[in-house]
Amino acid sequence: MAHPISAFQAAYISIEVLIALVSVPGNILVIWAVKMNQALRDATFCFIVSLAVADVAVGALVIPLAIIINIGPQTEFYTCLMVACPVLILTESSILALLAIAVDRYLRVKIPVRYKSVVTPRRAAVAITCCWIVSFLVGLTPMFGWNNLNKMQRTQELNSSHTEFVITCQFETVISMEYMVYFNFFVWVLPPLLLMLLIYLEVFNLIRKQLNKKVSSSSNDPQKYYGKELKIAKSLALVLFLFALSWLPLHVLNCITLFCPSCQTPHILTYIAIFLTHGNSAMNPIVYAFRIKKFRTAFLQIWNQYFCCKTNKNTTSTTTAETGN
């Protein structure tokens, strides 16, 4: 029989549900905006859609699974492992989408003339597909054997077959901390984050060099181009910063768990770290709305066209004209 949910668990579930209710509609709105707005069809926004798909899945899939894990049902080992792996897949997908966005912004300022011939829609689609394939391979690595099954069997001195091995389903029970720290964090999280930091520093350096050049009065177009690039780069760098701020605390706690087994980490810190990782999925649409004009305009267009009782054709046509700027 399932044990009753405590008041603390009820509060945890309520916060998770609230995060999901913000994350899912917000990121669906991002996908909707790109789909309906021609001005949001370049490679950068395709990568943003990939990031939004991962964020929708966090709200619709990972958070419900996290609630199940928090309750701690009795399950077969590999069933629990399947419940724990989606968050690993989607985290890696988000990181690789952010890396693709950073590389795309770099190419836009490094080779502005040749950019459209280099970053074609076909190549962008291939890059997104590769990101998701790598994400599945990294996230499903525990299913291929790098998990705690043998460790648990040795600890509990069980000789039963895998199919009969029933456990209380918890993330740390089935996922190896060696995998989380040495492989997931040290290989697939930290290096991409550091690489993205270097890329954005170089992007800002290139843009400022162009903006500081003395140009004649007839050369306004390059200044306007790099001015727009600077604004978008700042917004996307903010998305990266929020991602790092949200995910690094949990990985630091994982390192403490691995390298200092005797250290007692307060449970409240673990829950705060988990809330940050899930809450990150709800942050990006807010950043887009406040920082990127094309998104803000598209969001208002969707609101006026589909959610307001009145349909104002003049407003719609004006909004469409603005997106072309």
Side-chain angles (χ1 to χ4, degrees):
M1 291 180 62
H3 58 275
I5 297 175
S6 66
F8 188 84
Q9 284 180 315
Y12 166 80
I13 293 171
S14 299
I15 295 172
E16 289 281 41
V17 170
L18 180 62
I19 293 172
L21 290 176
V22 175
S23 176
V24 173
N27 285 287
I28 288 176
L29 189 62
V30 170
I31 298 168
W32 192 355
V34 174
K35 184 178 185 302
M36 70 172 291
N37 197 313
Q38 195 67 34
L40 297 173
R41 294 289 179 83
D42 65 17
T44 300
F45 296 108
C46 292
F47 295 132
I48 286 176
V49 166
S50 180
L51 181 60
V53 169
D55 288 337
V56 169
V58 168
L61 178 64
V62 169
I63 288 180
L65 293 179
I67 291 172
I68 292 172
I69 287 179
N70 181 260
I71 295 171
Q74 296 291 313
T75 66
E76 193 268 335
F77 184 89
Y78 277 96
T79 301
C80 184
L81 202 56
M82 289 179 65
V83 171
C85 282
V87 67
L88 303 175
I89 297 169
L90 296 172
T91 303
E92 191 56 39
S93 173
S94 297
I95 291 171
L96 294 179
L98 288 169
L99 180 58
I101 290 169
V103 172
D104 177 72
R105 301 324 294 181
Y106 173 77
L107 293 175
R108 285 185 71 94
V109 299
K110 184 67 175 179
I111 51 168
V113 177
R114 295 191 296 116
Y115 170 78
K116 288 188 177 180
S117 62
V118 172
V119 185
T120 62
R122 180 184 177 84
R123 287 174 179 170
V126 170
I128 291 171
T129 303
C130 290
C131 287
W132 278 99
I133 291 172
V134 172
S135 300
F136 272 93
L137 292 175
V138 173
L140 292 178
T141 296
M143 294 292 297
F144 303 146
W146 197 345
N147 55 54
N148 285 338
L149 179 59
N150 292 333
K151 179 180 176 182
M152 291 188 64
Q153 287 180 326
R154 286 196 305 269
T155 302
Q156 300 184 20
E157 297 179 351
L158 292 177
N159 296 316
S160 59
S161 65
H162 293 185
T163 56
E164 297 172 351
F165 190 56
V166 177
I167 60 167
T168 300
C169 187
Q170 298 288 338
F171 187 85
E172 290 186 17
T173 303
V174 294
I175 299 294
S176 164
M177 275 299 115
E178 286 82 2
Y179 161 82
M180 286 301 299
V181 174
Y182 292 126
F183 185 69
N184 189 278
F185 182 46
F186 287 167
V187 176
W188 291 103
V189 174
L190 193 57
L193 288 178
L194 294 175
L195 178 59
M196 283 183 268
L197 174 62
L198 294 176
I199 290 173
Y200 275 111
L201 288 175
E202 181 62 16
V203 166
F204 292 133
N205 182 48
L206 289 171
I207 291 174
R208 287 198 170 91
K209 280 183 179 178
Q210 293 295 329
L211 292 177
N212 289 335
K213 283 182 179 179
K214 292 183 179 180
V215 294
S216 63
S217 57
S218 61
S219 303
N220 291 327
D221 286 343
Q223 294 289 85
K224 185 177 180 181
Y225 175 84
Y226 285 107
K228 285 183 177 180
E229 287 301 316
L230 181 61
K231 290 180 181 178
I232 295 177
K234 284 181 178 179
S235 301
L236 297 174
L238 176 59
V239 171
L240 172 62
F241 172 76
L242 291 173
F243 182 90
L245 192 67
S246 300
W247 278 96
L248 287 179
L250 187 60
H251 284 289
V252 170
L253 291 178
N254 288 338
C255 290
I256 293 172
T257 300
L258 179 63
F259 298 128
C260 184
S262 60
C263 297
Q264 295 295 323
T265 304
H267 287 297
I268 188 65
L269 290 181
T270 303
Y271 279 104
I272 290 172
I274 291 171
F275 289 143
L276 281 173
T277 61
H278 294 167
N280 179 252
S281 299
M283 296 176 189
N284 294 341
I286 299 172
V287 173
Y288 302 150
F290 283 95
R291 300 278 306 181
I292 301 179
K293 184 180 178 182
K294 287 181 179 179
F295 266 118
R296 186 166 60 250
T297 305
F299 291 162
L300 289 173
Q301 182 179 353
I302 291 171
W303 175 259
N304 290 331
Q305 188 170 345
Y306 295 97
F307 296 100
C308 285
C309 295
K310 56 183 181 179
T311 303
N312 191 327
K313 292 184 179 179
N314 292 331
T315 302
T316 303
S317 60
T318 303
T319 309
T320 305
E322 286 180 3
T323 60
N325 296 331

